[in-house]
Amino acid sequence: MSRIDQLAADPAIEALHSKLTANLPHIIEEAITIQQISAPTFQEGQRAAYVYERFTGLADLQIDSVHNVYARLPGTNPTLPAVLLAAHTDTVFAADAILTIQRQNGRVYGPGIGDNSLGVAAVLSMADLLRQQSLESDIWFVANSREEGMGDLGGMRAVYEKLMPRLGLALILEGMAYGHIYRSGIAVRRLKITCKTGGGHSWLHYGRPSAIHTLMRIGAAITQLTPPQEPRTTFNIGVIEGGQSVNSIATTASMLLDMRSEERDTLADLEQQVRHIIDQQRIPDVEIVVEVVGDRPSGSIALTHPLVQLARDVLRWQGIHPVYETGSTDANVLLAAGLPSITIGVTHGGNAHRLDEYIETAPIRDGLWQLLLLTIAAANGLASKLGLPLR
């Protein structure tokens, strides 16, 4: 009998599974409740307040200055490394986005429902299910801020700084990645490129340099770059802003450039190429300013790592063939710091970061069962028994 068979066959765990199944409609409704609370990056306060109330009764309950919410379930052996179970609260949608929910054909549609309202609801469900359990290690339940966009993983950076001495491993939750195990975090570098000029009237001062024209030349040259396919490397000009009116020579213009790579050195090479393009476009009477506005670190753990193997075994036990992934999640911060971490999901879904984002309701039970088994196994000795370092 495998270790997962033994764990799942334990009468106490079977009782938790039954409770999870009974609670499933409530968990889905709680994901919707969370989704209905607007939470753009840097404006997660209302969601944080909701989570804080739901964590009532757990130890060390608090909200920090960046709207991270912390709560601890004490273990029976406080000397063991703790388990971190976290999901981000922020979304990519503006504060005035219409958050209408639709249910159709076994799906729930709504902006942010899968990324990451369901993930937050899953953390709350684990806190509810495990409150009365005797587990060896402490579990830190965290709803963190600033994962998306320009947040630059600021929430998780603060979490790690606060909990670093206590943690042995981390499980990061995303709503729509069930069956996937993210064990590698890709490096991400983001630049804001701003052009500034004196400007003028489009007719009277024709010939003067334009901030927009200069920026467009820079952008056009960047789009002609060909990043390597191995290691996988990408770039994207995501936002362009500038100008005053159609008949004004623009005084300012800026763009946001996102660059990613599986290898940090390759990413640095791509950035050097971009900066060379910028230098080629420097002309009199145009100031070009380059700011680093995002710098997500990279890191990974091996396929043979005990945490990855445990996550694999749970999925295989469920009849799921695991898919190993690289990506950019909150785990990047932890992996770069050397903390064994994986990112897993709760269900299937699609259209992330769109108004018609959706989750499938049928797989949620199995996704939560996976999480429950993994969390219990991690808290009942993974850090100490499988050779992970005491931090």
Side-chain angles (χ1 to χ4, degrees):
M1 181 180 289
S2 73
R3 54 182 170 171
I4 306 303
D5 285 317
Q6 292 176 329
L7 180 61
D10 185 308
I13 307 305
E14 287 182 333
L16 286 177
H17 187 211
S18 297
K19 187 176 181 180
L20 185 157
T21 301
N23 289 349
L24 187 59
H26 168 74
I27 295 169
I28 295 172
E29 290 306 312
E30 180 151 62
I32 294 172
T33 298
I34 294 166
Q35 183 268 346
Q36 290 290 296
I37 304 171
S38 177
T41 304
F42 305 115
Q43 300 177 49
E44 304 94 341
Q46 285 187 297
R47 280 197 186 177
Y50 176 87
V51 173
Y52 181 91
E53 292 300 320
R54 285 285 283 107
F55 278 157
T56 298
L58 292 168
D60 298 325
L61 177 58
Q62 61 179 293
I63 301 177
D64 69 14
S65 61
V66 296
H67 303 305
N68 293 322
V69 190
Y70 305 81
R72 181 175 62 91
L73 179 65
T76 60
N77 187 348
T79 66
L80 291 177
V83 174
L84 171 65
L85 181 60
H88 71 87
T89 54
D90 60 324
T91 77
V92 301
F93 300 99
D96 59 354
I98 297 174
L99 302 176
T100 303
I101 286 289
Q102 295 184 1
R103 305 170 194 255
Q104 185 177 6
N105 299 325
R107 294 177 174 179
V108 178
Y109 290 81
I113 187 64
D115 186 13
N116 194 30
S117 300
L118 181 59
V120 176
V123 171
L124 295 175
S125 73
M126 293 300 109
D128 289 341
L129 287 166
L130 296 173
R131 281 174 190 254
Q132 306 305 319
Q133 301 304 304
S134 294
L135 304 174
E136 295 177 14
S137 294
D138 289 355
I139 300 177
W140 281 92
F141 299 103
V142 173
N144 64 277
S145 63
R146 303 189 181 188
E147 192 272 347
E148 299 286 5
M150 302 301 287
D152 200 31
L153 308 185
M156 187 53 68
R157 294 179 199 269
V159 170
Y160 185 71
E161 183 176 347
K162 175 182 177 62
L163 300 180
M164 171 181 56
R166 309 183 186 191
L167 299 179
L169 59 87
L171 305 174
I172 307 301
L173 291 186
E174 291 285 347
M176 300 187 293
Y178 177 51
H180 297 251
I181 302 171
Y182 286 79
R183 63 175 189 86
S184 298
I186 59 175
V188 181
R189 186 86 160 168
R190 289 171 173 158
L191 303 180
K192 182 177 183 180
I193 304 167
T194 303
C195 299
K196 303 176 182 180
T197 71
H201 191 283
S202 62
W203 175 260
L204 296 177
H205 304 123
Y206 178 75
R208 287 184 181 177
S210 162
I212 287 179
H213 292 188
T214 303
L215 188 72
M216 289 176 67
R217 285 193 293 269
I218 292 171
I222 290 172
T223 64
Q224 298 305 304
L225 294 174
T226 304
Q229 296 183 354
E230 185 66 34
R232 187 172 182 226
T233 304
T234 67
F235 66 82
N236 180 62
I237 299 173
V239 177
I240 295 179
E241 299 175 318
Q244 304 88 260
S245 69
V246 69
N247 60 334
S248 298
I249 297 172
T251 57
T252 62
S254 64
M255 67 180 177
L256 293 174
L257 174 66
D258 175 279
M259 299 174 289
R260 303 177 179 229
S261 181
E262 294 174 332
E263 296 290 343
R264 192 79 194 181
D265 289 345
T266 305
L267 183 64
D269 289 342
L270 176 61
E271 181 177 349
Q272 186 175 12
Q273 293 178 58
V274 168
R275 289 181 178 274
H276 178 67
I277 287 171
I278 293 169
D279 289 340
Q280 288 182 316
Q281 296 299 327
R282 294 188 186 277
I283 58 175
D285 300 323
V286 177
E287 179 186 5
I288 304 177
V289 178
V290 182
E291 303 170 77
V292 177
V293 293
D295 191 13
R296 297 187 175 203
S298 61
S300 66
I301 53 177
L303 285 170
T304 56
H305 192 282
L307 180 58
V308 177
Q309 290 183 328
L310 179 62
R312 175 205 64 191
D313 291 347
V314 171
L315 286 173
R316 287 181 176 175
W317 181 83
Q318 291 184 307
I320 302 295
H321 181 71
V323 178
Y324 301 103
E325 299 276 13
T326 62
S328 180
T329 72
D330 279 314
N332 282 43
V333 170
L334 309 176
L335 289 166
L339 181 71
S341 308
I342 57 172
T343 301
I344 59 173
V346 181
T347 190
H348 306 306
N351 299 342
H353 294 190
R354 287 175 24 173
L355 294 176
D356 59 347
E357 182 176 319
Y358 69 88
I359 56 172
E360 298 178 7
T361 57
I364 293 176
R365 184 183 67 174
D366 288 343
L368 292 172
W369 182 218
Q370 162 218 217
L371 176 60
L372 183 63
L373 291 171
L374 187 53
T375 303
I376 293 172
N380 272 344
L382 180 63
S384 58
K385 295 177 182 176
L386 297 183
L388 300 183
L390 179 63
R391 304 192 63 81

